[in-house]
Amino acid sequence: MKTKRTSLHILTVLLCLTTLCSLPMRGQQRDTQKEYNVDSTLYVYYLRCKAEMSSPIIMQMSDTLFQMAVQRNDQRMQAVALCNKLDFYYFQGTQGDSISHYVDVVKDFARKTHQPKYYYFVWSKRLINFHIKQYQYNIALYEANKMMKEAEQEKYMDGIAGAYNVLSTIYQCKRLFNLAVDNKKKEIEIILKYGLDTYNLTTSYSVLANLYCELGETEKAYESLQKSASCLYSSTQEFYNYVRFAQYYLVVEDFSKAWKYLEKAKHLSDTKKEVRKNLQEYYEVLKRYYTQTKQYEKALKTLNYSLSTFGKNRKNNMDATLNRASIYYYMGDMVNAARYFMEYYQLNDSAQIHNEDITLGEFSAMLGVEGLKLEKSELQQQMQQRDLVNKQRIIIFLIALLTLGLIIFYREHLLNGRLRISQKQLSEKNNELLLSQEALKYAKEQAEDGSRMKSEFIQNMSHEIRTPLNSIVGFSQILSSYFSDNDDTKEYAHIIEQNSTNLLQLVNDVLDLSYLDGERDIPTQTIADITGVCQTCIDQIRFKLKPDVQLTFIPERENFTMQTNPDRISQILMNLLQNAAKFTQEGSITLTYHIREEEKKILFSVADTGIGIPADKQEAVFERFTKLDTFVPGTGLGLSISRMIAEKMGGTLVVDSTYTTGCRFVLTLPLKE
């Protein structure tokens, strides 16, 4: 029974919300072209686009469809053409940035042309569904609630129904089936009550049937499937209806009817090209049919075919491993069953760690909002502290006046009594002040803890942030080399790579600032060859020089070692050399160092013949995010970080104001031999 429930859940996860689909059906199905009053030429070309949805040619065909719709002043088909581009990336399921981009494109077009249907369609059934497919359930839930609020404010019932639809899907994936049923029923209720577009009503009923199967309510499941069959619009919907009827009959163990509906689904996929991209769920049900009818060899063959055809991901691999273990168990092959059960448990442990990483990434954006709230709280605490100081001064002033008034206006024989009362009042006020100081101290400690936790979180997130950025840079390089014969594509890939690298550098700089802010000193216990460190920096900076710039390294000694932190020295020198390379168009850049034995110091200098720094800006360049030329790439953090490192190593970093042929930075560090 447990295996049946697991298989049913796997099938439930495979359910995807169908998009606008358009082959006219016979029998009880209605003519989509007449239903939506679409121009016949546009409609025929639209069908061709849908048939090529999995091919890159759809991008060019969608542009053609858009232009045809512009000529016929059909804004609805223009929106559909843009949706086709989005669907190409959506059904690939791997390019989140492209999906987000085209979602914004469609939403912007829908707003401008007053077509809220497509605005909420791409939001719910593309963007939110993509997050669901990536197991980013918290982000999906956040977007769904945001969409619900916006639709309710606009009183747009289609949007509200769509919000209930994705909420049901989220709860379904999280195995909260009662909540999923409640939201699905609300969706259907709104569609019927307000006479909304019923194109996807068949899908809603079939999903509801699956949820009832999960809850063991088979009578309600059958009733929902009958309703689903009564409102079919397309071949794809008819295919899904057959597959889910087969799934239902497997649940109730009526295998002959299950096979009948599987044959119908297979025949439809063989005759309708647009149905073939939806065969994954069919093979999952077919595999389950073979398993339940004890045709285990066919079940294994179907499982292997499904994996090789539709690809593997973490969840598919886990489900396939569990299914394979169960099949071998039923076959009596306990050795293979035990092996695959063990593999499943290992994959499950890995998946749990992966899901924790996903959850951490989901909350990273939300923590940004929390950070703003924390800053607001800190400002409020500062204001309260200032108010408290003012109140203390007022209280002290009033007590002084009261004491002076008592001395002047009361008789001598009452003075001692009055003074005792005043002393008692002072004691009470002092106690209140002590309590207030304790409260302030506690609040300060809480704020410091919060700041430390924020810094620790930023540092811990470095891997999660750098990994996708490194992937973007890497794939940009691959794109650049792959499309080397296409100048435009190569340029676009170079722009992606360059900006991703800049963003990665910004992340590294911000993380470094966070680390340096929390550290008092930098360890300097490593014995390093200073000449070698400088030479390494020189070698790394050569490829960034302008053609007419000469790079020179003049060491005072051929070999010189000292106790220091070579990584931090390299970081400072690289920042200075990169700055020099960036602002020097011609001439030279010179790196040198001098040892002052009597002062126990070592001086590094980086001089160039570039544009130089005005005298009144020579200190400003060390401030964070300061850029004298906003058109030059960079974060404005390099010099600030370099000075912080120098100071925490016991040294200094300054601009030599006496150098007039360009710019020269002087780094001074204590000499430890």
Side-chain angles (χ1 to χ4, degrees):
M1 185 63 183
K2 181 179 179 181
T3 303
K4 292 180 181 179
R5 301 294 288 179
T6 303
S7 298
L8 185 58
H9 176 60
I10 294 171
L11 289 170
T12 303
V13 171
L14 287 173
L15 289 176
C16 297
L17 302 177
T18 54
T19 58
L20 186 59
C21 198
S22 59
L23 277 180
M25 302 292 296
R26 296 186 179 91
Q28 75 275 21
Q29 296 176 336
R30 290 170 284 186
D31 191 325
T32 306
Q33 179 184 355
K34 294 181 180 179
E35 180 81 14
Y36 293 99
N37 191 26
V38 181
D39 177 85
S40 59
T41 304
L42 289 177
Y43 184 73
V44 170
Y45 194 75
Y46 165 71
L47 294 182
R48 292 176 57 190
C49 290
K50 297 302 289 185
E52 300 293 340
M53 187 56 65
S54 60
S55 171
I57 197 174
I58 187 63
M59 305 300 286
Q60 183 177 354
M61 294 178 69
S62 296
D63 289 335
T64 303
L65 179 62
F66 187 90
Q67 293 302 323
M68 292 169 63
V70 170
Q71 294 174 1
R72 290 163 175 77
N73 197 26
D74 190 336
Q75 293 181 340
R76 179 173 56 198
M77 289 304 293
Q78 293 174 38
V80 170
L82 295 176
C83 288
N84 283 346
K85 288 188 172 184
L86 168 61
D87 285 350
F88 170 71
Y89 292 105
Y90 173 77
F91 287 116
Q92 287 182 342
T94 57
Q95 302 186 36
D97 290 341
S98 297
I99 293 172
S100 298
H101 168 71
Y102 279 106
V103 165
D104 291 338
V105 169
V106 176
K107 288 175 71 175
D108 182 63
F109 180 81
R111 282 297 191 202
K112 290 179 179 177
T113 56
H114 307 290
Q115 297 187 85
K117 170 183 177 180
Y118 296 100
Y119 179 88
Y120 287 100
F121 168 79
V122 297
W123 192 353
S124 62
K125 296 185 179 180
R126 291 298 176 261
L127 181 62
I128 297 177
N129 275 356
F130 172 75
H131 288 307
I132 294 172
K133 289 182 178 181
Q134 300 299 313
Y135 315 114
Q136 299 171 343
Y137 300 133
N138 293 316
I139 291 181
L141 192 60
Y142 171 79
E143 288 287 343
N145 288 324
K146 181 179 176 182
M147 173 181 163
M148 176 70 79
K149 291 180 181 178
E150 188 167 329
E152 287 177 343
Q153 289 176 354
E154 297 178 358
K155 297 181 180 180
Y156 183 66
M157 304 313 299
D158 273 312
I160 297 174
Y164 280 125
N165 178 286
V166 291
L167 284 171
S168 176
T169 303
I170 294 168
Y171 289 129
Q172 176 181 337
C173 293
K174 294 169 77 70
R175 297 187 63 81
L176 301 173
F177 298 117
N178 285 318
L179 288 175
V181 167
D182 291 341
N183 282 277
K184 184 59 64 178
K185 289 167 66 177
K186 288 178 182 177
E187 175 200 353
I188 295 173
E189 178 184 351
I190 289 176
I191 291 174
L192 297 177
K193 180 178 179 180
Y194 292 94
L196 305 181
D197 185 3
T198 59
Y199 185 86
N200 289 316
L201 188 59
T202 178
T203 303
S204 299
Y205 276 123
S206 65
V207 171
L208 184 60
N210 276 273
L211 295 173
Y212 279 133
C213 285
E214 287 283 359
L215 296 172
E217 301 180 23
T218 54
E219 292 183 0
K220 292 183 179 179
Y222 182 78
E223 180 183 351
S224 297
L225 285 173
Q226 291 288 357
K227 292 179 179 179
S228 174
S230 67
C231 50
L232 298 174
Y233 276 67
S234 69
S235 299
T236 302
Q237 292 176 347
E238 183 183 12
F239 169 80
Y240 274 122
N241 186 257
Y242 291 154
V243 172
R244 290 160 191 170
F245 259 113
Q247 177 184 338
Y248 163 77
Y249 283 117
L250 286 177
V251 172
V252 299
E253 298 185 348
D254 189 340
F255 301 128
S256 62
K257 289 185 178 179
W259 180 251
K260 173 184 175 183
Y261 278 102
L262 284 171
E263 287 183 323
K264 288 184 177 181
K266 186 63 171 67
H267 175 73
L268 191 61
S269 69
D270 291 339
T271 57
K272 301 293 184 179
K273 184 178 180 180
E274 70 273 13
V275 175
R276 295 171 190 169
K277 66 178 182 294
N278 303 303
L279 284 174
Q280 184 175 4
E281 186 178 345
Y282 163 78
Y283 283 109
E284 180 63 30
V285 177
L286 181 62
K287 181 268 301 174
R288 186 180 171 197
Y289 169 81
Y290 285 139
T291 302
Q292 289 187 235
T293 56
K294 301 182 180 181
Q295 301 179 61
Y296 301 123
E297 294 295 341
K298 290 184 178 180
L300 287 173
K301 183 178 179 181
T302 303
L303 178 60
N304 293 331
Y305 176 79
S306 179
L307 286 176
S308 63
T309 303
F310 303 106
K312 295 182 180 179
N313 57 40
R314 184 182 297 271
K315 180 160 185 60
N316 285 347
N317 199 22
M318 284 179 57
D319 293 339
T321 303
L322 179 59
N323 283 329
R324 188 173 279 112
S326 300
I327 293 171
Y328 278 120
Y329 175 79
Y330 291 133
M331 292 173 66
D333 188 348
M334 297 305 172
V335 174
N336 278 323
R339 178 165 67 89
Y340 283 110
F341 273 125
M342 181 62 68
E343 182 180 343
Y344 169 75
Y345 292 134
Q346 292 173 350
L347 290 173
N348 187 49
D349 291 340
S350 175
Q352 289 179 355
I353 296 173
H354 178 71
N355 290 336
E356 289 176 0
D357 293 340
I358 290 176
T359 302
L360 189 61
E362 289 177 321
F363 283 106
S364 62
M366 302 177 190
L367 284 175
V369 178
E370 295 300 324
L372 294 176
K373 292 181 179 178
L374 180 60
E375 292 178 0
K376 180 180 179 181
S377 176
E378 290 175 349
L379 290 174
Q380 290 177 342
Q381 289 179 358
Q382 292 176 2
M383 293 178 63
Q384 291 174 355
Q385 188 173 7
R386 286 197 296 268
D387 291 342
L388 182 59
V389 171
N390 292 333
K391 290 179 181 179
Q392 290 174 346
R393 292 173 180 172
I394 293 173
I395 291 173
I396 294 173
F397 179 72
L398 291 176
I399 292 174
L401 287 178
L402 178 60
T403 304
L404 181 61
L406 290 173
I407 293 173
I408 296 174
F409 294 104
Y410 287 90
R411 297 178 181 183
E412 186 175 357
H413 67 277
L414 297 177
L415 183 59
N416 290 333
R418 296 294 184 181
L419 286 174
R420 284 194 296 270
I421 294 173
S422 298
Q423 289 174 352
K424 182 179 179 180
Q425 292 176 342
L426 283 172
S427 178
E428 292 175 351
K429 295 298 182 182
N430 285 334
N431 289 334
E432 292 178 2
L433 290 175
L434 288 174
L435 292 175
S436 299
Q437 289 175 353
E438 290 295 327
L440 284 173
K441 182 179 178 181
Y442 176 77
K444 180 182 178 183
E445 291 174 351
Q446 291 293 102
E448 291 175 349
D449 288 343
S451 177
R452 185 177 65 257
M453 290 175 65
K454 180 175 68 176
S455 298
E456 291 175 356
F457 173 78
I458 292 174
Q459 293 170 8
N460 291 335
M461 283 298 297
S462 62
H463 175 72
E464 297 302 324
I465 297 174
R466 288 189 179 108
T467 297
L469 288 178
N470 285 329
S471 298
I472 294 173
V473 173
F475 280 112
S476 299
Q477 294 171 348
I478 293 173
L479 283 174
S480 180
S481 63
Y482 186 80
F483 294 99
S484 58
D485 56 341
N486 189 321
D487 292 337
D488 290 340
T489 304
K490 186 175 181 181
E491 181 182 358
Y492 299 154
H494 176 69
I495 292 172
I496 294 172
E497 178 186 353
Q498 183 178 13
N499 285 278
S500 300
T501 303
N502 292 340
L503 181 56
L504 184 60
Q505 183 61 44
L506 176 59
V507 171
N508 289 333
D509 288 344
V510 172
L511 291 171
D512 211 6
L513 276 176
S514 175
Y515 171 80
L516 292 172
D517 284 338
E519 296 292 324
R520 298 184 61 182
D521 298 304
I522 292 176
T524 57
Q525 288 82 28
T526 304
I527 301 299
D529 179 8
I530 299 303
T531 302
V533 171
C534 295
Q535 186 61 51
T536 300
C537 294
I538 288 292
D539 295 338
Q540 292 178 354
I541 203 66
R542 288 188 185 279
F543 75 97
K544 295 186 177 182
L545 297 177
K546 305 295 188 302
D548 298 328
V549 177
Q550 181 179 2
L551 181 61
T552 306
F553 171 43
I554 306 175
E556 185 172 275
R557 299 182 186 179
E558 183 176 352
N559 293 296
F560 176 71
T561 59
M562 62 177 285
Q563 185 176 326
T564 185
N565 190 319
D567 293 335
R568 290 300 187 177
I569 292 179
S570 295
Q571 184 177 356
I572 296 174
L573 294 179
M574 283 300 297
N575 283 337
L576 298 179
L577 289 169
Q578 288 173 355
N579 244 32
K582 192 185 302 180
F583 295 101
T584 304
Q585 302 298 324
E586 59 182 6
S588 65
I589 298 174
T590 304
L591 169 62
T592 184
Y593 71 82
H594 301 284
I595 302 166
R596 297 184 179 179
E597 298 280 358
E598 66 281 3
E599 299 178 11
K600 292 189 178 300
K601 293 181 179 179
I602 180 170
L603 276 66
F604 298 85
S605 73
V606 176
D608 61 64
T609 58
I611 60 176
I613 302 175
D616 58 338
K617 301 292 185 180
Q618 290 181 355
E619 276 302 312
V621 297
F622 293 102
E623 296 176 1
R624 297 179 182 182
F625 298 103
T626 297
K627 295 173 63 176
L628 300 184
D629 187 352
T630 58
F631 294 97
V632 177
T635 63
L637 292 173
L639 292 178
S640 176
I641 292 174
S642 298
R643 173 170 276 190
M644 287 181 67
I645 294 172
E647 291 174 350
K648 290 182 182 292
M649 291 175 66
T652 60
L653 177 62
V654 298
V655 179
D656 186 353
S657 59
T658 63
Y659 188 82
T660 58
T661 59
C663 179
R664 179 165 65 188
F665 287 87
V666 179
L667 169 64
T668 304
L669 294 175
L671 190 61
K672 297 181 181 180
E673 298 183 354

